[in-house]
Amino acid sequence: MKVEKFPDRIIEIDHEQYLYFGGTAYLGLPTNAAFQDLVIKNILKWGTTYGSSRTANIQLTAYDAGEKFLASHIGSENTVTVSSGMLAGKLVVDLMKKQTDCFFHVNDIHNAISIENSLPLFIDKKLNERLLDAKPEKITILTDGVPSFETKPIDLSFLKQIPKHKEITLVVDESHAFGIVGQNGSGLYASIQYPVKRKIMVSSLGKAFGLTGGVIAGDSDFINEIKEQETFTSAAGMNPAFVQTLFDASAIYKMQHQKLKDNLSYIDSILIKNSTIKFDKNYPLIYLLSKELVEKLKAEKIIIASFKYTKEAEPLNRIVITANHLKEDLDKLIQVLNHK
């Protein structure tokens, strides 16, 4: 279905209004007036785009401001922004190809950090024996911060089982965690305290943070290596007006994150838990295991997210809660879920 206006909490389809619980605007920023004002102010200052390489002789201070904010918010030594979360992932994986003997992946990771010839970390729910052998080597582990169809962050305790002669680089795609989980939406990066040589975070900024772009976070040595990659130096950067907005909107991010938390706490207090609904009070996605429930919601003029990750897969049906949903929206939603 096509719509002619950005769908916030209300979506109009064929001249009829529905409650909308889809998308990925978790903090409700694309339609937030104060946030829009900052974006407009920065476009007037920095222009609609800057199509030059980040390594050109003219350097824009907007990148310094936004990237310092991101590093502080994430809890990393350094960050760099790029034009998309997909590019962030590909840049990291391409660099790690030169520094890795063997890649391992956790479950069905997002395409942004996938690579051919990567081995499954778990086989029959047990750690791949290839990780436990006596061979000293450099390995890279690829994982999503919150796996698809899950409502809790990935459990990384398996890292303690890997012997020390395996030099581990951990790459975490936090596109559906950054801005949502952690203190004020700081994500998972700072909380990862396991024995690894290096941890790298990549994320889209076009979801919770409401701006087209991506971020790579890690130690300064690694970020400097990313900046030396030909793909980075030959590409235009993230829109500088958007990067400056990251810095300027820090208070808005905090406020919207609290609104989202309040909405999730309210849902947790009134939702009757059952086996057809997958929900956690700290995460804004509710997965539905019942196709009938999806149709019932639509009959009550409630539209949720429904899509296929791959052509062969079954549709993924999930309810997306945002900071912009009102108590009355949540009441109507939960009334349908509780009386299925």
Side-chain angles (χ1 to χ4, degrees), residues 38-49 239 241-242 245:
L38 288 178
V39 173
I40 292 166
K41 180 195 77 171
N42 282 319
I43 286 175
L44 293 175
K45 179 176 180 178
W46 295 105
T48 57
T49 188
N239 186 324
F242 290 175
T245 299

Side-chain angles (χ1 to χ4, degrees), residues 1-5 7 10-20 298 301-304:
M1 59 188 79
K2 295 184 179 181
V3 298
E4 296 181 359
K5 184 180 178 182
I10 300 292
I11 187 171
E12 189 170 297
I13 302 170
D14 296 331
H15 308 292
E16 285 195 75
Q17 289 193 336
Y18 294 75
L19 278 179
Y20 185 56
K298 190 174 181 180
K301 293 198 169 181
I302 297 173
I303 300 293
I304 68 168

Side-chain angles (χ1 to χ4, degrees), residues 139-269:
I139 65 170
T140 295
I141 296 175
L142 309 164
T143 183
D144 291 336
V146 179
S148 178
F149 206 64
E150 296 295 333
T151 56
K152 292 183 179 180
I154 186 75
D155 179 2
L156 296 171
S157 59
F158 63 81
L159 291 168
K160 294 185 287 188
Q161 302 175 45
I162 301 174
K164 291 181 180 179
H165 56 263
K166 303 290 186 181
E167 188 178 284
I168 303 170
T169 295
L170 177 68
V171 177
V172 185
D173 185 337
E174 293 201 40
S175 295
H176 294 279
F178 189 37
I180 302 168
V181 303
Q183 183 72 26
N184 294 323
S186 59
L188 303 171
Y189 183 91
S191 68
I192 299 172
Q193 302 292 331
Y194 288 101
V196 297
K197 181 198 174 188
R198 169 175 275 163
K199 56 180 180 177
I200 305 298
M201 176 262 228
V202 301
S203 179
S204 167
L205 295 169
K207 302 185 189 311
F209 279 76
L211 297 162
T212 302
V215 61
I216 303 167
D219 58 89
S220 290
D221 288 344
F222 185 82
I223 297 302
N224 288 335
E225 286 185 79
I226 288 289
K227 291 179 179 180
E228 292 169 358
Q229 298 300 298
E230 186 177 345
T231 302
F232 179 83
T233 60
S234 61
M238 182 176 168
N239 186 324
F242 290 175
V243 185
Q244 181 67 53
T245 299
L246 288 166
F247 174 82
D248 294 342
S250 58
I252 297 176
Y253 288 130
K254 186 175 181 180
M255 179 178 64
Q256 293 298 105
H257 182 255
Q258 186 58 52
K259 287 183 179 178
L260 178 61
K261 283 180 64 178
D262 291 345
N263 277 349
L264 295 176
S265 293
Y266 182 66
I267 289 173
D268 188 57
S269 71

Side-chain angles (χ1 to χ4, degrees), residues 23 26 30 36 46 61 64 82 87 89-90 101 122 125 130 177 184 198 216 238 241 245 266 300:
Y26 303 114
Q36 289 178 339
W46 295 105
T61 59
D64 297 331
V82 292
L87 180 58
K90 294 303 181 187
D101 297 317
F122 293 101
K125 298 184 179 180
R130 174 78 168 68
N184 294 323
R198 169 175 275 163
I216 303 167
M238 182 176 168
T245 299
Y266 182 66
E300 295 292 333

